[in-house]
Amino acid sequence: MRPELERQYVEYVQGRLPRLHRTAYLLCGDAFQADDIVQATLTSLYTNWRKASAADNLDGYVHRIMVRRFLDEKRRKWSQVLLGDRLPDDGRAAAPDVEQRDEVLTALRALPKRQRAVVVLRYFHDLSVDATAEALGCTAGTVKSQCSRGLATLREVLPMATAEGTR
């Protein structure tokens, strides 16, 4: 890669890395798998940087890569292997906000992959319906229906969100 293109790539990644990692974590719910997804996304972006940098919506292009990498990981059989039956106890008690975050992450993991991707991109990544549709390679109607179903499921699983929202 030419030095100028590589500099542009590095600048782009440095500015987006925390947000990309957060998005990957919200998609998969596991910090280590999120690291893998971000790494695969950035590797693919690097190899296609000339084409990607010419895209009208570079962030949408990267989101599409990330969601595809996430879906690819879920299809692989090894992703379902459990290496241990429980995590080691670190001796710290969970704070209430940590418990609430864990409930939300557990509820997100219970959603089907496409619904989870739509909810994460729309509400955690703050993308519009059209930008989400572009990132996922589907229509705006699909985004709306998947989002509606995903939010309905989350409302059922997380009654605290509906109870607090009605006050």
Side-chain angles (χ1 to χ4, degrees):
M1 181 184 297
R2 292 190 330 232
E4 178 185 327
L5 287 175
E6 188 161 345
R7 182 186 50 75
Q8 291 172 355
Y9 170 81
V10 169
E11 287 175 5
Y12 177 82
V13 170
Q14 285 176 339
R16 302 296 195 293
L17 191 58
R19 193 170 186 183
L20 290 173
H21 191 269
R22 184 178 72 230
T23 301
Y25 180 76
L26 289 170
L27 285 171
C28 68
D30 177 75
F32 297 111
Q33 187 179 7
D35 288 340
D36 292 344
I37 292 170
V38 170
Q39 182 177 2
T41 300
L42 294 178
T43 301
S44 180
L45 180 64
Y46 183 83
T47 59
N48 297 304
W49 180 248
R50 183 174 300 180
K51 176 182 169 186
S53 63
D56 292 336
N57 182 358
L58 182 56
D59 288 333
Y61 186 93
V62 174
H63 291 138
R64 179 179 285 189
I65 293 171
M66 180 175 288
V67 169
R68 287 182 176 168
R69 294 301 171 259
F70 163 68
L71 295 174
D72 289 346
E73 285 291 316
K74 296 306 281 182
R75 290 185 194 113
R76 292 196 174 104
K77 291 292 184 194
W78 72 266
S79 70
Q80 300 170 3
V81 173
L82 181 62
L83 298 177
D85 61 346
R86 60 189 156 89
L87 294 174
D89 184 18
D90 64 0
R92 294 182 289 175
D97 57 332
V98 172
E99 291 174 2
Q100 187 177 19
R101 184 191 70 208
D102 287 344
E103 290 175 9
V104 171
L105 289 174
T106 300
L108 276 173
R109 281 191 292 261
L111 292 176
K113 295 177 287 193
R114 296 290 286 189
Q115 288 179 14
R116 185 181 333 157
V118 167
V119 169
V120 166
L121 291 176
R122 286 278 294 129
Y123 295 102
F124 290 95
H125 217 289
D126 202 26
L127 294 183
S128 67
V129 171
D130 293 331
T132 303
E134 183 179 334
L136 297 175
C138 62
T139 65
T142 300
V143 169
K144 291 176 186 178
S145 65
Q146 291 291 308
C147 191
S148 175
R149 290 182 191 128
L151 290 176
T153 302
L154 290 176
R155 284 186 195 104
E156 290 175 12
V157 175
L158 298 170
M160 56 146 182
T162 56
E164 290 176 5
T166 59
R167 289 183 193 169

